Each structure stands twice: as C-alpha cells, then as structure tokens.
Amino acid sequence: MYRVLVPVDSNTNRARHQAQYVARLSEADSTVAATVLYVAPPGRFESADEVSFSAVDSAATAAEELEHAGVEVTRRVDGGSVSRAIVDAIADVDADEVVMGGRKRSGVATVLLGSTVQDVLLSTERPVTVTGERVSLDEGSRKVLVPVDSNGERARRQARYVTKLPGDPSAIEATVFYVFRHQDYAGAPPNEFEDVDSAVAAAEMLEDAGVTVERVAEGGEVARRILRAAEDRNVDDIVVGGRKRSGVQKVLLGSTVRDVLLSAERPVTLTG
C-alpha cells in the first residue's frame, strides 16, 4: 500500500490538481490510499469539530476526484496550527508521500510558496510534492527528471523515491541530469556525466530497479537548465533533493531548488 497525504486549503483548483496528481499515481498496478486533510484555520473555528468535511468544497472535490479514479480515500479534519497539524498527520498515517498545492500567484504573476508549504517542506523527511495551480499529466509511461548535485546521499534519496513509486518500475522513464555550473562558454571543459559520482550512483540504482534511464550532463545556469530539460522532455514530475542542513542542524532550501519550485509548470517533488 502506497500511502499519500493530501492536505488541501480552501482553493478548489489547487485541490483538484493535487487529486489529479495522486490519481495518476494510482494508474499503476499497486494500490494507492489517500488521506485528504483539511485543517480548520486557527481563529476561524474554536475546534475542528465545528467543521464538516463535506462542507469544504476543496476537500470534498479532491476526495470525489480520487474516489472516481479508484483511489481509497480517508476524509480527515484537524485543527490547530496548519503546518503542525499536517506534520503530525504525516506521522499518523505513515505517509509515503505528501502532495501539496502551494504555489500561489501574487501581483503581476509573481509566484510565491505559501508559508505552510515551506514549513512542511522543512519539517518532514518524507517526500513532498508541490503541484501548484496548473498541472498537465500525460497518459502512458511516467516520465521523471532527476536533477542531481554532487551530494551522493541526496542523489540516492532521489533515486530511491523513484524506485518506490507504485507500479512497475519498467513503466518509468527517468532522466538523471547533472549541470556543470556556468560551463556553457566557448572552450569550456567537456561535460561528462560519468565524471560525476552522484549522478552515476543515482542512474545505477534506478537501472538496477528496472527503470529506463537517460544520462545527461550539460553546462550552464543550473535552475534554467533543469527547467528547460523538463519542458523539452515533457516530464510528469521533477524530483529534486534540495533540503540542506546548516549550523545547528537548521534545515534550508537551496536556491536552485527554490527557483525550480517557483518556476516549474509541473509537479516538483522534494525528497531530501
């Protein structure tokens, strides 16, 4: 059983895209179970008991979309701090993945990550997928882009996430992608994939699990190259590994990961 937590806010469009992403997971042969969670915002309700799940349009829409796709659904309403309630629910349901819809547009199409999404990204070790408001998932094989940096452990976590997706690994096409930063000028050194231990390790782990792998190395500005590669290959998901620890185990999002999260027009999964 592949367990997914789907925390929704009041935005029905985002909730629908979250549900569509999870339903796409369930097209594989394995069983997927989803918990759709709505957290009653503090200050608006004295307790979660005051809130009926069915009265929250976004939550009801997500649950109905998932059930229509054949996904087993649990409906849940919690109260208190929204991000804290989500993190507690992740542990409670033992989620394999959290699917959030937290890209928001502000002003002249400026894209922001909601504070709740940022809190959850930095507070759990489980994979978190951010779908946003505009998602298009194709039928057929699942195509993922796996951009790695030089950190071998992060690269292996990214590969491990892909191998644990529900269904037959042979139905997944993964592009392991490494960018040699700013090396796209005339006379730049050759960009050899096999020179990057982390990339090779990720590719080998995926291939050992039966995933079809494309190995690609390019030079240039990292986030821009990742986004272009995702567009060129029309991938279903970008699987990044950008949680970093600084100082006394403070968790940070790397600048490249943040840029990709904010700019991608497709789901982005952060594995750690």
Side-chain angles (χ1 to χ4, degrees), residues 10 34 73 82 121 172 192 198 220-221 224 255 260:
S10 59
V73 176
V82 178
L121 284 169
I172 300 173
E192 299 291 346
S198 58
E221 196 280 318
R224 185 175 296 115
S255 59
V260 172

Side-chain angles (χ1 to χ4, degrees), residues 165-220:
L165 286 168
D168 184 354
S170 67
I172 300 173
E173 299 174 12
T175 299
V176 179
F177 191 70
Y178 184 84
V179 181
F180 289 86
R181 190 179 298 272
H182 303 311
Q183 290 189 18
D184 55 349
Y185 53 88
N191 302 315
E192 299 291 346
F193 185 97
E194 301 302 324
D195 290 341
V196 185
D197 290 345
S198 58
V200 171
E204 290 178 348
M205 181 181 290
L206 290 164
E207 288 168 339
D208 287 346
V211 176
T212 300
V213 176
E214 177 189 23
R215 302 180 181 209
V216 179
E218 295 181 357

Side-chain angles (χ1 to χ4, degrees), residues 40-62:
R44 288 182 56 189
F45 304 95
E46 289 188 9
S47 79
D49 295 337
E50 297 179 34
V51 182
S52 168
F53 186 98
S54 60
V56 182
D57 288 344
S58 56
T61 296

